[in-house]
Amino acid sequence: MRVGLIVDSACDLPFEFARKHDLFVLPVTAIIDGQTYIDYHDPVRTQEFYQSGLLDKGHEAETEAFSTEQIQKLFLEKIVTEFDVAFCETVTRSRSQIFQNASEAMNAVMANYEPARKAAGRDGKFSMRVIDSKQIFAGQGLLAAHTLKLIGQNLSKNALRHEVESFTDKIYTCVIPRDLHYIRERARRRGDKTVSAFAAFLGKALNINPIIFGQGVEGKPVAKTRDFNVAVEKVMNYAVARVEAGLLTPYVSLSCGLSWTEIEDLPGLNRLRDACEQNGVELLLSQMGITSAIYVGPGSICLALAAEPHEFSEYQ
């Protein structure tokens, strides 16, 4: 039984890790200044976007999920013909249409997959499941890495689905947005009022960099600093201490909306690397993808790990 894993391009993972594990990325459409781009999570294309400045707040940028028909076509051409069982983990359904469209596409595929499978020379039945990751960015990447680990354990498809769906609630995420005003403007265009105008003004006027912490997207501010590097160091301190205390999966996922030179200069990054190495944990360090950067803003950072219930303050 060959099991395949699908994520969308809001999922941040190192390119080499995704390629090594044959991860299929469901594209997202990015619309910037009226020009349409397809985000395949290609690292070269992503780097070009950062260098061009297209992701900066001076540009009109938004993302759009592939339609049900587009996703159905991809599933029939790329998934049905290659795998016997497939799991599609999407960015949280509360922030995107991807889960809904992928679910509708799955239903259509399950009713009509036989001809495509037969033409590809694959025997036997095909089954599929679309899962709401309840995560964004690095959190979604962490879930994908854990799922790949479970796939390697040769669990039954029902056991695998149960493990993945229960694991989503064990992921904790830290986000440091670089510009609250940017997030508010992007959220306003989506009809999302979770970032108030006052908070955006306060962050801009006083140069405040908040740390948003919580399970999945249910985060809340746990610290406010007037220096981005101070905020980063707090998150790194938290991650190091939590790694040393023990994790529920041997991964820490960290995605950064920065150039690689800026990423390597992040305070505390090498300490986190050392802590991961000493504790048998793999640090999944990636440049934030186009879709993620449009959502939370260039310059932002997202870190995710899985652990028993805890508070951010316990590891400061």
Side-chain angles (χ1 to χ4, degrees):
M1 181 177 71
R2 188 160 187 242
V3 182
L5 179 60
I6 307 156
V7 297
D8 56 61
S9 57
C11 176
D12 285 335
L13 273 173
F15 177 73
E16 291 302 325
F17 181 90
R19 185 168 66 175
K20 174 184 175 182
H21 293 282
D22 200 21
L23 199 64
F24 183 84
V25 178
L26 185 64
V28 171
T29 301
I31 305 169
I32 304 175
D33 295 335
Q35 183 72 35
T36 298
Y37 306 88
I38 305 300
D39 181 11
Y40 291 101
H41 227 292
D42 174 75
V44 175
R45 187 65 163 149
T46 300
Q47 184 63 25
E48 289 174 353
F49 267 70
Y50 278 99
Q51 292 174 343
S52 69
L54 282 173
L55 297 175
D56 294 344
K57 67 181 179 181
H59 298 274
E60 294 288 330
E62 59 183 335
T63 59
E64 185 178 279
F66 262 34
S67 68
T68 297
E69 293 74 20
Q70 287 174 303
I71 297 174
Q72 180 183 342
K73 185 172 185 290
L74 284 173
F75 283 172
L76 283 172
E77 292 178 355
K78 305 292 186 180
I79 305 301
V80 166
T81 57
E82 294 292 331
F83 303 102
D84 303 307
V85 176
F87 289 86
C88 178
E89 296 175 354
T90 72
V91 65
T92 177
R93 66 192 301 179
S94 65
R95 296 289 189 270
S96 172
Q97 188 69 23
I98 297 174
F99 174 84
Q100 182 65 34
N101 291 359
S103 296
E104 292 173 2
M106 176 195 69
N107 291 334
V109 165
M110 291 304 298
N112 298 285
Y113 71 78
E114 289 92 347
R117 194 164 172 82
K118 184 177 180 180
R122 296 201 71 87
D123 298 323
K125 293 184 179 295
F126 172 79
S127 64
M128 188 173 188
R129 182 80 175 189
V130 177
I131 297 172
D132 175 8
S133 74
K134 303 179 187 177
Q135 307 296 322
I136 54 173
F137 321 146
Q140 195 181 351
L142 185 79
L143 180 64
H146 183 68
T147 302
L148 290 167
K149 180 172 176 288
L150 293 173
I151 290 173
Q153 296 173 4
N154 297 317
L155 301 177
S156 71
K157 61 183 180 183
N158 288 334
L160 181 58
R161 183 195 70 197
H162 173 74
E163 288 292 329
V164 170
E165 290 180 336
S166 62
F167 190 78
T168 59
D169 296 323
K170 300 172 183 177
I171 297 175
Y172 289 82
T173 304
C174 297
V175 178
I176 308 175
R178 197 63 174 265
D179 187 335
L180 286 174
H181 182 73
Y182 177 101
I183 293 180
R184 175 184 171 273
E185 286 302 303
R186 293 291 186 261
R188 181 180 61 80
R189 294 192 185 103
R190 296 192 305 269
D192 183 349
K193 299 179 181 179
T194 56
V195 181
S196 70
F198 175 74
F201 171 78
L202 189 65
K204 187 176 181 181
L206 300 181
N207 193 31
I208 288 177
N209 293 110
I211 298 172
I212 312 299
F213 171 79
Q215 291 172 282
V217 293
E218 303 303 320
K220 60 183 180 181
V222 290
K224 296 179 181 178
T225 74
R226 296 195 181 186
D227 185 281
F228 178 73
N229 284 337
V230 172
V232 171
E233 192 135 30
K234 283 181 175 291
V235 168
M236 295 297 181
N237 289 342
Y238 157 77
V240 168
R242 189 60 255 193
V243 165
E244 291 173 345
L247 302 175
L248 297 179
T249 196
Y251 303 104
V252 171
S253 180
L254 175 60
S255 66
C256 310
L258 301 163
S259 70
W260 280 108
T261 299
E262 292 170 319
I263 291 172
E264 289 300 329
D265 287 339
L266 288 173
L269 177 60
N270 286 330
R271 284 192 296 106
L272 177 57
R273 279 187 171 127
D274 291 341
C276 287
E277 184 176 352
Q278 291 164 12
N279 290 274
V281 172
E282 184 173 357
L283 177 60
L284 301 171
L285 178 62
S286 65
Q287 192 172 47
M288 195 171 278
I290 295 168
T291 300
S292 311
I294 288 176
Y295 188 97
V296 74
S300 301
I301 285 178
C302 183
L303 180 141
L305 50 79
E308 298 293 349
H310 64 279
E311 297 294 332
F312 183 84
S313 58
E314 296 173 23
Y315 294 89
Q316 289 297 302

